[in-house]
Amino acid sequence: MTRLGRLGTGIGWRPEIAEAVEHMPGVDWVEAVSENLCPGHLPESLRRLRERGVTVVPHGVSLGLGGADRPDESRLAALAERAEALGAPLVTEHIAFVRAGGALTASPALEAGHLLPVPRTRDALDVLCENVRIAQAALPVPLAVENIAALLRWPGEEMTEGQFLYDLVDRTGVRLLIDVANLHTNHVNRGEDPAGALAELPVEAIAYVHVAGGVERDGVWHDSHAHPVPRPVLDILADLASRVTPPGVLLERDENFPLPGELERELAAIRGTLEKAGATARGQAAATSAPSPRPAASGTSGTSGTSGTPVLALALAPAHTPTPPAGPGRAPLPGPGPDLGSTPLVTLGPDPDPDPGLAPARQRLALAQAALLSALVAGTPVPEGFDRVRTGVQARALAAKRADVVAKVAAELPELLGTGYRAAFLGYARGRPMTGGYRRDALDFAEHLLLAGHPRDARTRHLLRDWWLERSGPAPRSQRPAARLARVTRRALLRR
């Protein structure tokens, strides 16, 4: 297995700040969204960073490991290809579902366009563990999975976040990407205690940590990645760093990019938080322990003081050993060693949950996730047990994100439609779920406007029609009578 070294302090690489990141002092590594990279045509900025020895980690957002279906083989292959193209020491994804419906529910396939929380139930954990094992077997480097932020809570949950993550690591040996901003989000939105979650986590499994900003509106915290990192998030980072020295910490910023100087100040604040927390933890450890002096063995190198303990082992050792969350059959995970990547965190026996035996759990999870996602993106009734107000907030947030992303992947649309773009798109999205990704969504939106005779301005409508025709592209056409009639009608309408 590929060895994982110390990452240090990093920042999320985005095209908008690529040049600034290249010249930013003290950036040890970067993380890039996997789906935005083409292995054969890596951005020149990332090439230059790699040539300088800066580690680049691909961060996936569309695998949907927490979904009811098995991970898509083509998506896994794409993630593996990007890891190899970047020479990455690991890849990361999310504990989330991003699509639902389809064969398991005999219903239309739906795309969320965003990360949605997995219910913390035994069914969901069983499915997630098997999906993680499938991904691990397909990837050439270790996998780490990230806790996500949530606006709503699933009814009937059986575990806390810490218990859920502990069992996931215990059963799969997967590493964790802990997002302290998401712990803060769940504290505000769901009343969960960040310190309690950290106390239950297997901190020795942490591969690295995310830090990001957000904003509170109407009592709901939105994990926007578009605002400065607030003090409560740094306080959670300090709590984590008092328990273990994380191998890496990364600042995320996805929108509303500030001047480089502000990002550098945020990175400096992160470093300062880590240094202060580490010094405090070392002081407390020294005050509560009284080791007997012992001379180092003759010829020993790489040891600290008189204890003979390797310096690297001390750096990776947690300030305390976490107590396993209460529950049947749980045993403490092995303590950390000097290398998190040399062996799996646990020794796995035969797979206790072969995929055929998971069919009932997958179907139960599929039905639950499809019902929720349909309520969020298709306007169907909110499933029983969910907070209707929070579900509405989540639905509006998904629609807003969908509008924002479509405006990025098809920048001509807001240029053509001007200030009317957002209202028009949100009106289109209401009751029209995304089924084929954001580029397909942009084309469907343009077609929807044209078929409705919009925009009213003839010149703008002509430009939009040309844009749509240029990008629709050749595709195999169905010869079914209904499809042929629809094409004839569409052509007639588009000639207007």
Side-chain angles (χ1 to χ4, degrees):
M1 181 180 286
T2 304
R3 296 176 65 86
L4 294 181
R6 304 285 292 177
L7 291 170
T9 305
I11 188 169
W13 183 91
R14 303 293 184 268
E16 297 88 340
I17 56 172
E19 184 177 355
V21 169
E22 282 190 67
H23 298 94
M24 208 168 281
V27 171
D28 302 311
W29 65 292
V30 299
E31 178 191 80
V33 176
S34 175
E35 287 79 356
N36 293 343
L37 301 177
C38 179
H41 303 279
L42 293 176
E44 287 301 318
S45 172
L46 282 183
R47 289 180 179 274
R48 288 190 291 268
L49 287 170
R50 290 185 64 237
E51 288 169 359
R52 284 167 35 193
V54 175
T55 298
V56 181
V57 174
H59 185 54
V61 297
S62 64
L63 200 52
L65 290 172
D69 290 304
R70 293 167 62 91
D72 181 77
E73 291 182 3
S74 63
R75 294 179 190 275
L76 279 173
L79 186 56
E81 187 179 10
R82 283 149 181 78
E84 291 177 331
L86 294 168
L90 78 162
V91 297
T92 56
E93 249 289 352
H94 298 82
I95 302 170
F97 79 100
V98 296
R99 59 189 64 87
L104 282 174
T105 58
S107 63
L110 301 174
E111 292 279 343
H114 193 53
L115 305 166
L116 292 175
V118 174
R120 298 173 194 156
T121 62
R122 289 292 165 192
D123 272 355
L125 180 62
D126 289 344
V127 171
L128 175 63
C129 286
E130 179 63 15
N131 287 350
V132 164
R133 293 188 190 103
I134 293 169
Q136 288 171 316
L139 294 169
V141 293
L143 169 69
V145 291
E146 179 181 356
N147 61 303
I148 73 161
L151 288 174
L152 46 78
R153 180 193 298 275
W154 281 86
E157 292 194 316
E158 300 164 354
M159 288 170 274
T160 65
E161 182 161 41
Q163 291 168 343
F164 193 81
L165 295 178
Y166 187 99
D167 277 9
L168 173 64
V169 172
D170 190 25
R171 292 171 58 176
T172 66
V174 73
R175 293 161 179 81
L176 296 177
L177 162 50
I178 295 301
D179 191 316
V180 292
N182 290 347
L183 292 179
H184 173 66
T185 301
N186 294 344
H187 170 64
V188 176
N189 293 345
R190 297 168 48 137
E192 297 176 354
D193 178 24
L198 292 176
E200 292 180 328
L201 285 180
V203 293
E204 66 275 14
I206 294 175
Y208 62 89
V209 175
H210 271 173
V211 179
V215 63
E216 186 171 354
R217 290 193 296 266
D218 300 324
V220 176
W221 186 267
H222 296 267
D223 181 44
S224 65
H225 294 189
H227 298 81
V229 178
R231 170 49 55 183
V233 171
L234 291 177
D235 290 342
I236 299 172
L237 175 64
D239 188 357
L240 184 151
S242 72
R243 302 166 187 268
V244 67
T245 301
V249 179
L250 182 126
L251 172 65
E252 286 189 295
R253 190 72 174 244
D254 293 334
E255 296 180 49
N256 191 26
F257 296 101
L259 293 174
E262 183 176 335
L263 294 175
E264 291 174 16
R265 285 189 290 274
E266 290 201 286
L267 286 170
I270 289 170
R271 293 189 194 97
T273 299
L274 294 172
E275 292 168 1
K276 184 177 179 180
T280 300
R282 289 190 295 272
Q284 292 174 345
T288 57
S289 63
S292 301
R294 182 172 58 191
S298 175
T300 300
S301 61
T303 59
S304 70
T306 58
S307 68
T309 304
V311 173
L312 184 57
L314 283 175
L316 291 174
H320 73 283
T321 301
T323 302
R330 292 192 180 98
L333 294 175
D339 170 37
L340 290 178
S342 58
T343 58
L345 289 167
V346 293
T347 301
L348 298 175
D351 187 351
D353 298 306
D355 197 54
L358 277 180
R362 285 191 184 277
Q363 187 166 44
R364 288 191 294 268
L365 183 62
L367 291 168
Q369 291 179 338
L372 174 59
L373 186 53
S374 181
L376 292 172
V377 301
T380 58
V382 176
E384 185 177 354
F386 282 93
D387 185 305
R388 293 178 181 274
V389 173
R390 283 296 176 88
T391 305
V393 171
Q394 180 70 83
R396 290 190 293 275
L398 288 178
K401 181 177 178 64
R402 187 174 160 191
D404 291 341
V405 177
V406 166
K408 286 184 177 180
V409 302
E412 300 87 353
L413 291 179
E415 291 176 4
L416 285 170
L417 300 176
T419 56
Y421 162 77
R422 194 169 187 83
F425 186 89
L426 293 177
Y428 150 80
R430 193 175 300 116
R432 292 181 180 84
M434 182 168 61
T435 59
Y438 285 112
R439 286 179 174 81
R440 180 72 258 169
D441 205 23
L443 290 170
D444 290 347
F445 169 54
E447 182 179 7
H448 164 76
L449 290 179
L450 292 168
L451 291 174
H454 295 295
R456 297 299 185 193
D457 178 71
R459 182 176 181 276
T460 303
R461 188 166 64 253
H462 179 78
L463 292 172
L464 181 62
R465 183 190 64 185
D466 289 346
W467 179 91
W468 180 81
L469 289 172
E470 288 173 3
R471 287 158 180 79
S472 295
R477 296 185 171 188
S478 170
Q479 296 305 310
R480 292 164 54 190
R484 293 169 64 185
L485 176 62
R487 286 199 298 271
V488 171
T489 304
R490 185 178 302 156
R491 283 197 299 269
L493 289 169
L494 291 177
R495 291 193 192 103
R496 293 180 178 179

